[in-house]
């Protein structure tokens, strides 16, 4: 499994990558493997401001549906448009083309409080 060191992680298996005053959010390689084949991504929170740990959408796999939780408080700026036709990108490229949302964090400093790659690896064992 792959856990890029430049990302921050949550105990709920989301990752976040800050670029300037925006951030990309997705699910980890571990999460997509645990879920199995992702068949649908349901995110209807574009334009909304959400609290940390609030659900911003869900992913549907063959056997289950899993909520997606905000790693930090902020405004959902964009949903990855490619996922509507290709939800399997979350499986094949979870840290690249399979990103879920673009966020404007309310406080970028909040990202520093999330898990490092090593902390996340320890969490999942």
């Amino acid at each position: 499994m792959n856990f890029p060191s430049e990302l921050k992680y949550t105990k709920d298996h989301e990752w976040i990558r800050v670029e300037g005053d925006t951030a990309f959010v997705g699910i980890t390689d571990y999460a997509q493997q645990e879920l199995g084949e992702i068949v649908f991504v349901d995110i209807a929170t574009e334009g909304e401001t959400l609290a940390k740990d609030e659900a911003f959408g869900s992913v549907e796999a063959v056997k289950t549906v899993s909520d997606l939780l905000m790693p930090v408080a902020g405004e959902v700026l964009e949903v990855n448009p490619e996922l509507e036709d290709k939800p399997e990108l979350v499986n094949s490229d979870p840290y690249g083309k399979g990103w879920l949302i673009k966020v404007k964090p309310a406080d970028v400093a909040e990202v520093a409080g999330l898990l490092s790659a090593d902390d996340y690896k320890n969490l999942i064992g």
Side-chain angles (χ1 to χ4, degrees), residues 25-120:
V25 175
I27 64 169
T28 66
D29 195 16
Y30 173 80
Q32 69 80 18
Q33 283 188 15
E34 289 293 302
L35 288 167
E37 183 185 349
I38 298 193
V39 295
F40 186 66
V41 177
D42 183 20
I43 303 172
T45 51
E46 190 169 325
E48 293 182 27
T49 298
L50 303 173
K52 181 182 189 316
D53 297 328
E54 190 171 352
F56 66 83
S58 63
V59 287
E60 184 177 331
V62 173
K63 297 178 184 165
T64 189
V65 175
S66 185
D67 282 340
L68 300 164
L69 304 179
M70 291 287 284
V72 296
E75 180 186 354
V76 179
L77 299 173
E78 181 183 346
V79 175
N80 184 344
E82 287 194 66
L83 299 181
E84 189 170 333
D85 294 328
K86 296 184 217 161
E88 67 276 5
L89 286 172
V90 176
N91 292 116
S92 63
D93 193 8
Y95 302 117
K97 291 183 178 181
W99 63 272
L100 299 170
I101 59 171
K102 206 183 288 186
V103 176
K104 181 173 177 56
D107 180 5
V108 173
E110 196 176 11
V111 174
L114 297 173
L115 301 171
S116 69
D118 287 339
D119 292 338
Y120 182 71

